[in-house]
Amino acid sequence: MPEIDFLLFGGLAALIGAVVQGSVGLGVGLVATPIVTMLFPSLMPGSILVVALALPVATLAQEVGHADLRGLGWAFGGRLVGTPFGVLLVAAVPQRALGIVIGGVVLAALAVTAWSREVPRNRRTLAAAGVVSGATGTASGIGGPPLALLYQRESGPRVRATLAVFFIVGALLSLATLAAAGRLPVQQITAGVALVPFVLAGFAAAGPLRRYLDDGRLRTALLVVVGTSAIALIVRNLL
């Protein structure tokens, strides 16, 4: 049974992350992962993967018709390739080095896409985003930024619904792969389930912010969330 301090700090992080993801399309893993990793490292990455599975279900209940299923097919193909690499990274690379590398990759992708007039979204870029997302999501619980950057110029409902489908399938795949490799203790699953009520509360609270961002402000918010998460990940692992 998760301890009170985990429910307090992890629950607060999950609540805030759910508000962000409920409005932008990603964020629960970006906000909650650093807190849980720093305070409760033995509960990572499984607890955050459980959370990453629960929140998108609420999103799809409202916006499922907006998902880009054709584009997701290529991204899922890449994720299948990338997920085993994530398991290998967890086993072979020191945690600090892994966090710095992942943060650097996200920042590099952000820099390229933020100043591009148009972000190319085709079979190759979708598959590549899936590979990177599979590796980073399985290794750290942060797998949304690569795909989010490809959809940054789309409408709010399309971004959120597309990412929601990707997160559900990706989280299931990562959890199954970690379990098959013997790296998914039951304590991590129990802890993740304990955070689900906080996540649902955060999603419910995100309604006004979601409507505000959908009025032409989503892309800026998405880039800020992605950039902040990458910098926080690097700084945390340098200290």
Side-chain angles (χ1 to χ4, degrees):
M1 188 72 179
E3 298 180 0
I4 296 299
D5 54 350
F6 173 75
L7 293 177
L8 177 62
F9 295 105
L12 179 60
L15 177 70
I16 296 172
V19 172
V20 176
Q21 181 160 323
S23 53
V24 178
L26 76 166
V28 67
L30 307 180
V31 175
T33 293
I35 302 299
V36 176
T37 301
M38 180 173 60
L39 299 178
F40 314 98
S42 65
L43 299 179
M44 286 293 295
S47 61
I48 298 302
L49 287 169
V50 172
V51 168
L53 176 63
L55 181 57
V57 174
T59 298
L60 290 181
Q62 294 185 349
E63 300 176 323
V64 63
H66 296 277
D68 178 19
L69 298 180
R70 178 176 296 182
L72 282 170
W74 293 101
F76 285 141
R79 177 115 193 182
L80 283 170
V81 175
T83 296
F85 284 105
V87 175
L88 292 175
L89 289 173
V90 170
V93 180
Q95 186 176 8
R96 287 180 177 272
L98 183 59
I100 293 170
V101 170
I102 292 174
V105 169
V106 172
L107 278 182
L110 175 63
V112 170
T113 60
W115 281 277
S116 298
R117 183 169 299 179
E118 182 177 353
V119 180
R121 192 171 70 243
N122 50 45
R123 291 178 294 179
R124 289 186 294 273
T125 57
L126 285 164
V131 171
V132 176
S133 179
T136 61
T138 303
S140 69
I142 298 178
L147 194 65
L149 292 174
L150 291 183
Y151 284 89
Q152 61 182 271
R153 296 184 186 275
E154 296 289 342
S155 67
R158 190 167 182 83
V159 171
R160 289 189 294 268
T162 301
L163 289 177
V165 176
F166 186 73
F167 287 148
I168 289 173
V169 176
L172 286 172
L173 181 60
S174 293
L175 286 167
T177 305
L178 287 168
R183 294 187 171 272
L184 187 63
V186 67
Q187 297 95 317
Q188 295 186 7
I189 301 296
T190 302
V193 171
L195 295 181
V196 171
F198 296 92
V199 166
L200 296 180
F203 178 81
L209 181 58
R210 183 163 54 245
R211 292 188 290 273
Y212 173 78
L213 293 177
D214 283 355
D215 191 19
R217 303 178 180 91
L218 181 69
R219 179 173 182 260
T220 299
L222 189 151
L223 294 177
V224 168
V225 170
V226 170
T228 301
S229 69
I231 293 172
L233 189 61
I234 293 173
V235 171
R236 187 185 79 229
N237 285 283
L238 286 174
L239 296 179

